[in-house]
Amino acid sequence: MNQNTFVVIMAGGIGSRFWPISRVNHPKQFHDVLGTGESMIQTTVKRFRGVCPPENIYVVTHRDYANLVQEHLPDLHKNQILQEPIGRNTAPCIAYACYKIAKKNPNANIVVAPADHVILREESFINCVKEGLEATAKSDILVTLGIKPTRPDTGYGYIQFIDDDQSTLKKVKTFTEKPSLEIAQMFIDSGEFVWNAGIFIWNAQTILKAFREYLSDMAETFEEGIPVLYTDQEDAFINRAYSHCRNISIDYGLMEKANNVYVILGDFGWSDVGTWSSLYSLSEKTPEGNVVDGNVLLYDVNNCIIKTPENQLVVVQGLQDYIVASHDNVFMVCRREDEQKVKDFVADAKAMKGQNFI
């Protein structure tokens, strides 16, 4: 196993579109969403165990979730859990991890992945990751993984690539964030676009150079703190650093601007499980088309997703194409086609009922 390979797991998000299961104090990456017996973050870390040594896996999370990370991943050393004081999107999160790894190993080759994605064909996924690692070990390039689209989904970002040879590693032409349905269909029809999975591969020196070029303010901030990384002064420095960092994604701040970005075309059963519909599509269904996780009695119920606690008997009658979800002190019933309103429900619950319900 290559000692220069590192993996960064991003685990700081709240996952509000998956409310009420995903909550501020216990977001979806710490839930067994698919009923596999493991939380999503446990499954993600296990997926990478054959890619790099266990001590080279780093998790970046919000400070409030550090104990949850340690509980779910007890083998991690405290230096492998990077604690963000505030959420500032993916660019500062990735900068923190990559500067810290580069100090430990300037020759590091780094994979960055979210903690809450589902990969159904893990062998194909690992093959794509290894292909990316081989490329970034030899070249000054930034690699992202792209997923062959199966439908014109408006909830994903799209990557346009230049199809100039038979290789699965393609030069990136453009990025497009969450297009309209009409444009998404045009993208699929063209055959030149893939979904942006938000999984990245690069070597340490290439990504630090890119930060200096495209996010120079962020690079200056983190470079000031290099001497205190891996010391007892690190937390105080990170508090100051994050107060200066912009709230910006790595895609918008860096990847969309760089001219050395490549995409590996993958087909490995990927989903970000960002919504109830994505969970419904991934899950095993009853003959009536229902996805059921809970202690339930169903009567004339079709094409619903029902996720409720085992200690609560839930009786449902006469529903079709609904989400029925209960967790802690919130019970939600919503039409599947209106799942985009879940974020509105969260905002209203916070404004009218209080923080305790989000």
Side-chain angles (χ1 to χ4, degrees):
M1 196 176 294
N2 195 327
Q3 296 296 316
N4 289 340
T5 301
F6 287 74
V7 172
V8 176
I9 307 296
M10 299 182 289
I14 295 171
S16 59
R17 290 182 296 168
F18 207 62
W19 185 81
I21 303 300
S22 189
R23 309 288 283 274
V24 169
N25 64 347
H26 202 99
K28 68 174 180 176
Q29 57 266 33
F30 302 107
H31 287 274
D32 177 11
V33 170
L34 290 178
T36 61
E38 295 178 326
S39 65
M40 301 191 83
I41 192 171
Q42 288 171 330
T43 300
T44 301
V45 168
K46 188 166 79 171
R47 182 180 301 137
F48 285 106
R49 282 278 158 85
V51 172
C52 74
E55 64 271 19
N56 287 6
I57 295 177
Y58 284 64
V59 174
V60 190
T61 191
H62 191 281
R63 189 162 290 166
D64 290 348
Y65 305 146
N67 288 338
L68 272 174
V69 171
Q70 194 73 74
E71 178 186 325
H72 284 245
L73 305 169
D75 294 337
L76 289 192
H77 186 273
K78 66 177 183 179
N79 272 328
Q80 293 172 263
I81 303 175
L82 280 56
Q83 301 181 38
E84 297 183 289
I86 48 177
R88 280 288 184 263
N89 216 314
T90 53
C93 156
I94 289 171
Y96 181 14
C98 289
Y99 273 96
K100 185 159 183 170
I101 289 169
K103 178 173 183 178
K104 181 177 182 179
N105 185 338
N107 299 315
N109 213 9
I110 304 168
V111 183
V112 180
D116 56 358
H117 288 188
V118 168
I119 307 290
L120 297 179
R121 295 187 289 279
E122 294 202 350
E123 185 177 350
S124 296
F125 170 74
I126 295 302
N127 287 338
C128 286
V129 168
K130 289 180 177 177
E131 180 183 353
L133 288 167
E134 288 176 11
T136 57
K138 296 182 292 187
S139 304
D140 180 21
I141 61 175
L142 306 169
V143 173
T144 184
L145 299 191
I147 311 300
K148 183 179 179 181
T150 57
R151 61 188 181 278
D153 199 304
T154 60
Y156 293 147
Y158 286 73
I159 299 170
Q160 184 182 23
F161 58 89
I162 300 171
D163 194 8
D164 53 358
D165 57 35
Q166 296 302 308
S167 169
T168 55
L169 182 68
K170 307 287 188 182
K171 185 86 162 60
V172 168
K173 187 175 181 180
T174 62
F175 287 83
T176 302
E177 277 298 313
K178 298 179 180 177
S180 67
L181 184 61
E182 182 181 7
I183 292 175
Q185 186 63 60
M186 289 171 55
F187 286 172
I188 290 178
D189 292 342
S190 76
E192 297 177 356
F193 289 80
V194 287
W195 287 336
N196 185 354
I199 300 170
F200 310 100
I201 305 169
W202 42 55
N203 67 63
Q205 299 311 313
T206 300
I207 189 61
L208 297 193
K209 179 181 176 183
F211 269 106
R212 287 191 288 269
E213 185 168 355
Y214 302 108
L215 288 167
S216 58
D217 53 337
M218 203 171 290
E220 289 172 10
T221 297
F222 281 97
E223 284 170 5
E224 287 176 9
I226 290 174
V228 303
L229 297 176
Y230 297 97
T231 75
D232 56 7
Q233 301 172 57
E234 180 175 330
D235 284 350
F237 161 71
I238 291 300
N239 283 339
R240 293 194 304 274
Y242 268 69
S243 69
H244 296 299
C245 285
R246 287 181 281 159
N247 187 329
I248 190 169
S249 71
I250 195 72
D251 293 278
Y252 184 73
L254 192 156
M255 299 294 282
E256 294 180 15
K257 297 178 173 64
N259 58 10
N260 59 336
V261 180
Y262 286 75
V263 61
I264 292 177
L265 310 187
D267 184 10
F268 39 76
W270 169 89
S271 173
D272 69 351
V273 200
T275 64
W276 284 102
S277 283
S278 60
L279 178 59
Y280 179 84
S281 66
L282 284 167
S283 302
E284 185 176 344
K285 299 167 185 64
T286 68
E288 294 77 26
N290 297 313
V291 172
V292 180
D293 182 3
N295 185 11
V296 302
L297 292 173
L298 305 182
Y299 303 90
D300 190 25
V301 174
N302 298 279
N303 303 324
C304 291
I305 179 165
I306 300 162
K307 194 169 178 65
T308 56
E310 286 293 338
N311 63 357
Q312 179 185 43
L313 176 63
V314 174
V315 181
V316 183
Q317 189 273 332
L319 290 187
Q320 182 167 331
D321 297 304
Y322 268 78
I323 302 162
V324 179
S326 176
H327 182 72
D328 195 12
N329 56 0
V330 176
F331 192 99
M332 182 189 78
V333 180
C334 171
R335 284 192 299 265
R336 279 176 50 209
E337 65 183 34
D338 292 331
E339 67 168 0
Q340 72 275 8
K341 294 182 178 178
V342 171
K343 279 202 166 186
D344 297 334
F345 301 160
V346 174
D348 290 346
K350 182 179 180 180
M352 293 186 274
K353 300 297 182 180
Q355 187 81 20
N356 190 43
F357 294 99
I358 65 160

